[in-house]
Amino acid sequence: MTIHDITLTIHRSLVVWPMSPTVALSHLSHQAKGEDATVTYMSLNVHTGTHVDAPRHFLAGQSTVETLDLDVLVGPALVVDARSIERLTADALASLNIPPGTERLLVLTRNSELWNDNTHPFAEDYVGVDASGAQWLIDNGVRLIGVDYLSVAPYDELEPPHTLLLGADVVIVEGLDLRGIKPGEYQFVCLPLKIADSDGSPARAILIET
Ligand SMILES: [Zn+2]
């Protein structure tokens, strides 16, 4: 079985959303200081690195990350090559020849090259799904959309695509590292932490070759 880890490594210098504090890691105790055990303490934005958005992120009062359906987060997924596309509009998605019935769609864009240096300054010009693209995904029965930068939506159009997708119970996985992944069918596993009342959570995401 070949497993591809498509998760970003969490560390202090990992690029984060503008204005967000960076990841903080410290030690509550450390064997280097003569203590019995080493215990790390971490604080971070739940939208750090590879993570899942819950409806609550943009829709007040809606469901939170610990209640997301695992049946959606685990299952067959299609990786499509969109490296020549600058904005994931409805027309752009329609051009990718996505087979009907695709429920989990992971979009490989030029964004993934940014992960060659995951300490890079936040890149506002990343490729995202606009409102027309979000509606296309909903209309075509996509239940999970995975993208390779820190937001599903373009930086100049953050709210409408999120609201459309989350309002239609489409699970959004952001911050995937799809470098070196060949387009095609895989088994996808993405498990966010079970954090009560949270609008999102870091997750481990893998692709298994079928
Ligand atoms: Zn997010």
Side-chain angles (χ1 to χ4, degrees):
M1 185 163 76
T2 302
I3 298 175
H4 301 276
D5 191 351
I6 53 173
T7 314
L8 294 170
T9 301
I10 294 172
H11 60 98
R12 289 184 181 89
S13 305
L14 178 62
V15 56
V16 292
W17 196 257
M19 309 307 286
S20 172
T22 53
V23 175
L25 293 164
S26 57
H27 289 106
L28 298 179
S29 65
H30 205 300
Q31 287 180 313
K33 292 183 184 166
E35 291 164 312
D36 285 344
T38 300
V39 179
T40 299
Y41 185 82
M42 175 171 69
S43 59
L44 80 182
N45 183 329
V46 294
H47 300 268
T48 294
T50 305
H51 70 276
V52 175
D53 284 357
R56 178 72 58 83
H57 188 33
F58 275 83
L59 300 169
Q62 296 301 303
S63 60
T64 46
V65 75
E66 77 281 22
T67 68
L68 289 176
D69 190 352
L70 295 179
D71 284 342
V72 180
L73 288 159
V74 177
L78 178 70
V79 177
V80 288
D81 185 350
R83 283 175 290 185
S84 63
I85 288 172
E86 281 301 309
R87 197 172 184 90
L88 294 162
T89 63
D91 287 347
L93 288 166
S95 76
L96 294 173
N97 297 316
I98 297 162
T102 299
E103 293 193 336
R104 297 172 197 80
L105 181 69
L106 310 185
V107 187
L108 164 62
T109 75
R110 63 169 171 77
N111 297 339
S112 274
E113 291 306 308
L114 292 164
W115 303 129
N116 289 329
D117 172 11
N118 61 26
T119 68
H120 65 266
F122 181 83
E124 293 184 4
D125 64 344
Y126 63 87
V127 178
V129 178
D130 77 356
S132 75
Q135 191 61 51
W136 187 94
L137 294 169
I138 295 162
D139 293 346
N140 285 274
V142 172
R143 301 176 71 201
L144 179 144
I145 176 73
V147 295
D148 52 2
Y149 205 58
L150 299 176
S151 169
V152 69
Y155 196 64
D156 59 5
E157 190 185 349
L158 288 172
E159 188 264 326
H162 273 98
T163 303
L164 283 165
L165 292 166
L166 295 171
D169 281 328
V170 177
V171 173
I172 299 171
V173 184
E174 298 169 331
L176 295 171
D177 179 359
L178 296 173
R179 283 177 300 162
I181 300 298
K182 271 196 271 176
E185 284 277 353
Y186 296 86
Q187 284 291 323
F188 177 64
V189 178
C190 176
L191 296 176
L193 299 179
K194 200 170 179 180
I195 305 170
D197 283 329
S198 182
D199 46 274
S201 171
R204 191 70 178 252
I206 61 171
L207 290 173
I208 303 167
E209 287 191 17
T210 55

